Amino acid sequence: MAEILVLYYSRGGSVARLARQIARGVEEVPGMQARLRTVPPVAAVTQQAAPPVPEDGAPYVTSADLAECAGLALGSPTRFGNMAAPVKHFLDGLGGEWASGVLAGKPAAVFTSTATLHGGQESTLLTMHVPLLHHGCMIVGIPYTEPLLSSTRSGGTPYGASHVAGGDDDPQPTGEEAVLARALGRRLADIAARLAR
């Protein structure tokens, strides 16, 4: 089976839950499987090395995950209209993969979560596209053929899947957000499967 790498950083659980919805969508496409991975946190001062495997949740991503995937879904919470530092730090360390073209020609999609509806979802998604374009990825979004994209009152954009956690930091995607995230996963996996033919 071909695999789509669903790679994310999640602090409050929202992005992790969105990642699982995208993975569900990926696995609705025959012959496709999702591989959930996360990036380690970063700190201004490191007192000790991070454990090689997180205590819970998805394992940390490796270079092999990038090389073996047929497509990539990349997720991050929004920080001031941009991706979180751990995701940016991870991407900044991919010089070797960029030089060798590990991701070139692979479809890629992005997803995010914010505390408020106007908290920078679209700017975060768009800025996450930029390094993927540098790697030669083909960007996959959510087309308006998905009816909920025109009626959602929370997350969901043509640039990628999204979630509004609200003031209480509710990590659970709404029904609309979950449907749109699964649609993005299906679309990404379908395009990857077509490219593999």
Side-chain angles (χ1 to χ4, degrees):
M1 276 215 209
E3 291 187 322
I4 299 295
L5 177 59
V6 182
L7 176 61
Y8 64 92
Y9 172 72
S10 186
R11 190 158 172 188
S14 296
V15 177
R17 289 188 186 201
L18 213 50
R20 288 193 287 277
Q21 292 297 326
I22 289 170
R24 284 181 59 192
V26 165
E27 295 185 349
E28 291 173 7
V29 176
M32 300 302 286
Q33 187 173 349
R35 183 187 295 193
L36 285 163
R37 294 291 185 268
T38 190
V39 298
V42 295
V45 177
T46 303
Q47 294 179 354
Q48 65 184 43
V53 178
E55 291 181 24
D56 58 8
Y60 291 136
V61 65
T62 66
S63 294
D65 293 319
L66 295 169
E68 294 167 1
C69 74
L72 170 66
L74 181 65
S76 173
T78 294
R79 297 292 185 262
F80 302 106
N82 208 328
M83 69 188 90
V87 177
K88 181 72 166 80
H89 180 74
F90 170 75
L91 291 171
D92 286 348
L94 295 181
E97 287 79 3
W98 168 78
S100 62
V102 165
L103 293 173
K106 295 180 181 183
V110 293
F111 57 102
T112 192
S113 177
T114 56
T116 64
L117 184 58
H118 302 292
Q121 289 187 359
E122 292 184 346
S123 62
T124 299
L125 296 170
L126 290 169
T127 56
M128 289 172 69
H129 287 165
V130 175
L132 297 175
L133 288 166
H134 273 263
H135 278 275
C137 293
M138 295 177 285
I139 303 301
V140 175
I142 303 174
Y144 278 93
T145 52
E146 291 296 331
L148 282 178
L149 198 57
S150 295
S151 62
T152 180
R153 296 290 176 242
S154 55
T157 80
Y159 312 110
S162 62
H163 166 65
V164 179
D168 295 332
D169 199 22
D170 183 0
Q172 186 61 43
T174 66
E176 292 172 334
E177 292 168 342
V179 167
L180 289 169
R182 286 194 306 273
L184 182 60
R186 272 193 313 277
R187 182 169 164 76
L188 179 61
D190 180 61
I191 290 171
R194 284 195 250 169
L195 289 170
R197 290 182 196 149

